[in-house]
Amino acid sequence: MDASPSAPLLPTGISQPVSQFVLKLHSRCDLACDHCYVYEHADTSWKGRPRAASGKVLRRAAERIAEHAAAHGLHRVHVVFHGGEPLLAGPARIRRAAEELRLALDGVCRLELGIQTNGLQLSERYCDLFDEFGIRVGVSLDGDKEANDRHRRYADGRSSYDRVVEAVGLLRQPRYRHLYGGLLCTIDVKNDPVTVYDALAALDPPRIDFLLPHATHAEPPERPDGAPAPYADWLLTVHRRWVARGRPVPVRVFDSVERTLHGESSLVESLGVDPVDLAVIETDGSFEQADSLKVAFDGAPATGMDVFANSVDQVAAHPGLVARTRGKAGLCEQCRSCELVNSCGGGLYAHRYSRENGFSNPSVFCPDLMKLITAIRGHGTPGTQAETAAATRHTYLTEDQLDQLAAGRGDADTVSALAGAQLDITRGLVVAVWEQAPRDAASAAVWRLLAEADAAAPDAVDAVMAHPYTRTWARRRLEAAARRGAGGADTAGLAEFAAAAVLRAGDRYPASVRVPAPRGHLRLPGLGRVVLGAGTLAEVASAADGFTVTAPHRSLRVHWDEETAEGWQPVRRIALPGWEVAMEDVDPWRDAHGSPVSPRQDAALFATWAEELAGAWSLIAEGLPHHAPGLAAGLATITPLLPRHGGDVGGAARHAFGAAGIVRPAGPRGLALQLIRSFQEVKLRALLDLHDLYDAEDTRLLPSPWHSGPRPLPDLFLEAYARLGEGEFRAATRPGGQEADARRPGTGREVADVAERLLSSGSLTPLGERFARGMAGTAVR
């Protein structure tokens, strides 16, 4: 094997480098939680540790982490400040820890910092410090007051609940919202699961972590009344509530089960077969394995190494850490032979311990994990994890609205509900991109601007997020991150969103935004594009009737609707009776429709577009009055495309709600057909983000009347839905005597035949069957 600087050989015994570290800043706590793994279980090592990590320990820990990251070419290192209660270390010590890590890792790799706290000491002083260093804050809270006070009390028995909720309220303020990392809840099956979940969700966390209580085969968990899987029952009750409410917040245990069932990586240590690459540094500089091992036996996490005498490479070669990187090979035979092993992964390592076999056992929660995973597997999960987790208050459609859509229609309120759900999904995706951004002052400032603009003028931020190609951008950034393991963040793109939001907010949020323009132009989503020099850093600020752009060697005063030779190219809008639509021909992410995009339309071509759109809209409004209001509510953007393979059909993009890619045909009638077909696709694709209509695992091909060969079921379903609207339009607007037009593909009989074929496939969900019957009913009218 050839070694290279980009792929260094690992020392003997190391299966993979360590990229996650828990750094203990303080070894004591101001609560006396009776379920705490540090103080209330088998390990007693905390008694001999210094209360706080010294400056010497912090510096050497940072040097060891940087040394390891450099040796293995790591792209990022994630460090969580922990305890005890880390805030007891005080602001000065926390600053010292962050400064030492930032200094040591500068030029080596990206540093991500977090802190897990009980929240009791949290204040604006701490939040300002965390803002300076980009430190995300996780708060431990076990639900409502009654549930939280069951375990999480002061030593004298007082409740901690009100103070913790107050701390969370501080993190929810717009200026600190970007620091809010989520809530961590330890399950107690005596607590009502719905009440616990609702109390946590009401605090608007960016995510919720539900943890099984720490237990082993030597000290098994409580199982009230001898129930075989009470923790699964508890979690599944929460899961039903979570799904019924539209998955308003990511819940990592549910998202991890879904991801691992689809062959993706887990988001939590306790599920999946991905290697665990984590080491703990205690207040005295000792290296330890995961804290959860403290429940097994006294000294279980110890490695016998410390930051002064040992490198992280040596720690990574410790048998205990190596055992946790072996995936399925490190599991006992019972786990390896289980059909759920790729999702369960044997559960949390510490929960496998018994006095007889050490850690070579299934999890003590094995019955619960099996029931949980099996139940979620049977439930079905539409879309990607980031998208399904983001759909919130707008997910719900009434029964009448579902019936409208099933019939191929949908009034303005129905389409607006779909648009609202799409907006929430896009917001969630943008947050996911932000979570991968470097935690530096520039990116933190951008996110703070967006958060403050959202508080002052939420409609302005909504307008930016609702732009069709915001979601296209976000998905591509996340896909890039998944491919490379890093690099999904796009601080320049986030800054462009912030600038567009600030400009839309106007006097409600006067601010200026510094925006990198590495591609030589400044994108303002939904507003237009400013052409600048490559590599420019521009400052954007709102002004009366427009805005200013200040860049090196250049200053530009822009009026909104006036295209200038200096480089301002606004998105032009066409106002028609009952419909206003934007002509998007400048956004760099508009290439989402499967055909090459047309360049910027000149004035004459734009005028022709406006004239033909007016004619097309008149035909639609007259011929399909039950379609027109919905189209006006949901189709806000036209993107000109170039013909592909000589054809003239564009369409809707999977992840660009509200946009139709159109190859301009000759005449209003052909344009109307493209608009109707595209909008049918827009509606169905949006619905598929919220509801399953068919078994996505069915790979059979079905005959199609519109193609020479068979088609996959999802494609056939989508095409039938699109042609349903096309057929209605042809029937309603057919010129007298043109009987041939009535026989064009897509008319009623063909759509009805396909609907029957879909119904007989056995792959439709109950809602999918409802849609197939609705299409058939409309097609034969």
Side-chain angles (χ1 to χ4, degrees):
M1 181 186 293
D2 294 329
S4 70
S6 60
L9 292 176
L10 296 173
T12 302
I14 296 182
S15 56
Q16 75 171 51
V18 178
S19 65
Q20 301 179 73
F21 296 85
V22 172
L23 181 56
K24 300 293 191 76
L25 300 183
H26 204 277
S27 66
R28 303 299 191 268
C29 189
D30 45 1
L31 282 181
C33 307
D34 59 16
H35 57 12
C36 180
Y37 56 76
V38 175
Y39 308 110
E40 301 294 335
H41 283 273
D43 187 76
T44 60
S45 60
W46 64 273
K47 295 178 180 179
R49 295 247 158 79
R51 289 181 175 269
S54 67
K56 184 178 179 182
V57 165
L58 295 176
R59 171 169 295 182
R60 193 62 181 136
E63 291 171 348
R64 287 299 195 189
I65 292 171
E67 171 187 83
H68 185 72
H72 299 288
L74 299 182
H75 295 292
R76 71 170 182 91
V77 163
H78 184 66
V79 180
V80 177
F81 296 149
H82 216 285
E85 169 48 49
L87 295 187
L88 292 177
R93 199 178 307 270
I94 295 174
R95 173 180 292 278
R96 174 72 180 273
E99 287 176 339
E100 293 287 1
L101 287 162
R102 178 179 285 183
L103 178 64
L105 288 162
D106 184 35
V108 176
C109 70
R110 192 174 84 197
L111 170 64
E112 296 176 355
L113 289 175
I115 191 166
Q116 186 66 37
T117 174
N118 60 32
L120 299 181
Q121 305 294 325
L122 196 66
S123 64
E124 291 188 3
R125 182 182 180 189
Y126 277 114
C127 287
D128 288 339
L129 173 64
F130 299 155
D131 187 25
E132 180 181 348
F133 288 93
I135 302 173
R136 299 291 299 280
V137 185
V139 178
S140 300
L141 182 69
D142 286 350
D144 60 302
K145 182 178 176 62
E146 180 180 355
N148 191 69
D149 288 350
R150 190 181 295 276
H151 300 286
R152 302 184 61 80
R153 289 180 173 271
Y154 289 96
D156 61 6
R158 285 179 297 131
S159 168
S160 65
Y161 180 78
D162 291 342
R163 179 66 193 96
V164 180
V165 171
E166 182 182 341
V168 173
L170 187 62
L171 291 172
R172 294 175 65 190
Q173 292 183 14
R175 58 180 170 154
Y176 299 132
R177 173 72 195 187
H178 62 288
L179 303 174
Y180 191 7
L183 299 176
L184 184 151
C185 170
T186 300
I187 297 168
D188 187 324
V189 292
K190 299 187 189 74
N191 294 326
D192 179 71
V194 170
T195 302
V196 167
Y197 168 74
D198 285 352
L200 297 175
L203 296 176
D204 194 24
R207 75 181 187 205
I208 297 174
D209 284 322
F210 287 112
L211 302 185
L212 292 168
H214 285 309
T216 67
H217 292 280
E219 298 289 339
E222 290 187 60
R223 297 191 180 276
D225 302 321
Y231 297 91
D233 295 336
W234 195 96
L235 281 168
L236 288 170
T237 302
V238 173
H239 187 265
R240 287 190 291 273
R241 181 73 159 188
W242 180 65
V243 170
R245 291 293 176 90
R247 304 167 180 251
V249 56
V251 176
R252 291 209 304 175
V253 63
F254 301 150
D255 292 335
S256 292
V257 170
E258 292 170 357
R259 287 171 61 92
T260 53
L261 285 171
H262 289 84
E264 300 176 67
S265 61
S266 175
L267 303 171
V268 295
E269 180 186 353
S270 57
L271 289 168
V273 292
D274 302 309
V276 177
D277 61 333
L278 179 142
V280 177
I281 302 174
E282 287 284 356
T283 55
D284 61 358
S286 298
F287 281 115
E288 287 204 338
Q289 302 173 66
D291 267 0
S292 56
L293 288 174
K294 294 179 184 293
V295 305
F297 54 88
D298 200 5
T303 66
M305 304 182 207
D306 62 57
V307 296
F308 301 106
N310 304 98
S311 68
V312 178
D313 276 0
Q314 290 174 298
V315 177
H318 184 278
L321 271 77
V322 170
R324 306 186 68 204
T325 64
R326 296 179 60 207
K328 283 190 282 189
L331 301 178
C332 67
E333 174 58 31
Q334 181 178 336
C335 289
R336 290 198 303 272
S337 62
C338 177
E339 65 167 339
L340 301 179
V341 63
N342 289 328
S343 186
C344 172
L348 192 70
Y349 189 76
H351 295 172
R352 306 173 200 168
Y353 176 75
S354 74
R355 295 188 181 97
E356 296 76 22
N357 301 320
F359 296 97
S360 185
N361 306 285
S363 169
V364 72
F365 291 101
C366 179
D368 301 276
L369 294 172
M370 291 186 69
K371 184 172 184 177
L372 176 69
I373 295 166
T374 302
I376 292 178
R377 181 175 62 179
H379 183 272
T381 55
T384 65
Q385 179 268 337
E387 288 161 333
T388 55
T392 60
R393 63 186 182 279
H394 297 292
T395 299
Y396 297 103
L397 291 161
T398 67
E399 293 301 308
D400 175 66
Q401 288 172 334
L402 286 170
D403 282 338
Q404 290 179 42
L405 292 169
R409 298 171 181 177
D411 60 20
D413 288 342
T414 299
V415 175
S416 294
L418 286 175
Q422 291 291 301
L423 173 61
D424 280 344
I425 289 172
T426 300
R427 277 178 168 265
L429 289 169
V430 171
V431 170
V433 174
W434 153 249
E435 288 177 343
Q436 302 200 30
R439 292 298 181 259
D440 55 28
S443 59
V446 166
W447 196 253
R448 184 166 56 250
L449 277 169
L450 263 175
E452 291 174 356
D454 202 16
D459 59 306
V461 177
D462 279 350
V464 176
M465 297 297 164
H467 185 260
Y469 303 115
T470 298
R471 182 170 173 183
T472 304
W473 166 85
R475 282 188 58 85
R476 290 186 185 174
R477 302 320 304 157
L478 293 170
E479 288 165 1
R483 287 193 303 270
R484 298 194 293 268
D490 181 357
T491 303
L494 291 168
E496 290 172 338
F497 293 129
V502 166
L503 295 182
R504 287 181 179 273
D507 293 341
R508 290 176 293 167
Y509 184 65
S512 61
V513 185
R514 301 187 73 188
V515 186
R519 294 179 293 272
H521 62 261
L522 171 65
R523 172 201 184 216
L524 297 171
L527 299 176
R529 175 175 66 180
V530 183
V531 179
L532 300 166
T536 298
L537 179 64
E539 185 154 340
V540 181
S542 58
D545 301 322
F547 60 96
T548 61
V549 179
T550 305
H553 315 300
R554 186 175 187 191
S555 182
L556 183 63
R557 176 72 165 81
V558 170
H559 292 276
W560 287 119
D561 298 323
E562 297 178 9
E563 186 160 355
T564 66
E566 291 82 11
W568 168 235
Q569 298 174 334
V571 171
R572 293 164 293 187
R573 309 190 71 80
I574 300 169
L576 302 170
W579 184 34
E580 183 176 285
V581 63
M583 176 72 69
E584 180 59 88
D585 54 6
V586 294
D587 194 287
W589 302 99
R590 69 189 189 279
D591 59 340
H593 297 274
S595 294
V597 296
S598 178
R600 175 79 168 172
Q601 309 289 286
D602 62 28
L605 195 51
F606 176 73
T608 302
W609 268 103
E611 181 180 349
E612 294 196 354
L613 276 169
W617 177 241
S618 178
L619 288 171
I620 294 170
E622 181 180 350
L624 295 180
H626 45 272
H627 278 266
L631 189 149
L635 194 59
T637 299
I638 301 294
T639 296
L641 303 178
L642 297 174
R644 182 181 61 175
H645 306 309
D648 63 353
V649 178
R654 171 67 183 87
H655 301 292
F657 177 84
I662 300 292
V663 178
R664 189 174 65 86
R669 183 175 174 78
L671 182 54
L673 282 166
Q674 282 203 61
L675 289 171
I676 292 165
R677 181 186 176 106
S678 295
F679 187 57
Q680 289 293 99
E681 293 182 16
V682 164
K683 289 186 293 185
L684 192 65
R685 291 185 190 280
L687 185 86
L688 287 167
D689 281 330
L690 310 178
H691 297 283
D692 286 331
L693 299 182
Y694 42 73
D695 179 5
E697 303 298 320
D698 188 339
T699 59
R700 290 178 297 166
L701 300 178
L702 301 179
S704 167
W706 307 301
H707 298 275
S708 59
R711 306 287 289 172
L713 185 147
D715 292 357
L716 192 61
F717 202 120
L718 181 65
E719 187 163 11
Y721 196 77
R723 289 185 182 274
L724 179 66
E726 180 182 334
E728 280 198 278
F729 178 77
R730 290 184 187 279
T733 63
R734 184 170 63 248
Q738 292 189 15
E739 292 301 322
D741 198 49
R743 297 191 295 272
R744 289 287 298 274
T747 51
R749 190 65 263 162
E750 288 174 327
V751 173
D753 287 346
V754 169
E756 291 300 325
R757 193 168 298 150
L758 293 169
L759 282 166
S760 64
S761 70
S763 288
L764 300 189
T765 66
L767 184 59
E769 292 177 354
R770 186 169 164 185
F771 265 64
R773 287 192 293 268
M775 286 192 287
T778 298
V780 299
R781 286 173 187 165

